[in-house]
Amino acid sequence: MNAPAVAPPAIESPNPAETGGPIAAFARLVALLTLGLGVLGLVPGITSNYSEMGFYDSGANLFGLFRTSVVVASTQILFGVTVLAFSGSARQAHKTVVWVALTYLCAGLSGAGLMVNAVRDDLPVNVASNWLHLALFAVILGGAVAARRKHVEQLGVF
């Protein structure tokens, strides 16, 4: 005898507390920011002294102000791609954004010579770049904390 056909279980929509929400939106914003900085750092005209662009050591300046190199621009692009890859889960997006913020803190402190055994001589830094890294740290970390609070207020859990 044939068993009666059983309807497949309904496909449940993902829990909004685990995916999407303010944290994922903020993570995508951070990804676009870092991707944009990385790509612009490789564009002649936007990057002054482009002919002096080197892999590590460089005389090129993004917007004529922030010292950049191939490694710096590539790292920015890698940050953006990584944050986009982990922006589907609220927890992973939050963790990734916090790690990116902490990396900017390390870059700013390293460039200013405030970290022991810093790789200051290996990467191009100047005062403007150091301040930019410290500002990005503060803005990204502050935004991550605010997005997490908003996420909890809207969805009740994190």
Side-chain angles (χ1 to χ4, degrees):
M1 210 167 183
N2 291 341
V6 177
I11 298 174
E12 297 181 27
S13 62
N15 181 353
E18 295 173 3
T19 61
I23 294 173
F26 180 71
R28 286 188 291 275
L29 182 67
V30 169
L32 290 175
L33 172 72
T34 57
L35 274 169
L37 287 173
V39 170
L40 291 175
L42 297 172
V43 176
I46 294 174
T47 300
S48 62
N49 302 329
Y50 192 79
S51 61
E52 298 177 27
M53 173 82 78
F55 194 71
Y56 288 109
D57 193 23
S58 178
N61 295 310
L62 179 61
F63 304 122
L65 188 61
F66 308 107
R67 191 60 53 99
T68 191
S69 69
V70 173
V71 170
V72 171
S74 300
T75 302
Q76 298 282 0
I77 292 169
L78 181 63
F79 282 172
V81 170
T82 302
V83 173
L84 276 179
F86 288 102
S87 65
S89 160
R91 289 182 185 191
Q92 286 298 327
H94 187 263
K95 287 178 189 177
T96 306
V97 167
V98 168
W99 277 109
V100 166
L102 293 174
T103 304
Y104 280 123
L105 174 65
C106 290
L109 294 177
S110 172
L114 299 175
M115 288 180 60
V116 178
N117 297 326
V119 292
R120 186 174 188 204
D121 294 334
D122 294 337
L123 295 176
V125 293
N126 62 7
V127 174
S129 298
N130 295 337
W131 282 110
L132 175 65
H133 291 137
L134 294 173
L136 286 170
F137 158 72
V139 168
I140 292 172
L141 188 64
V145 169
R148 182 174 176 165
R149 277 194 197 130
K150 190 173 183 180
H151 186 91
V152 171
E153 286 174 6
Q154 286 181 356
L155 303 171
V157 293
F158 176 71

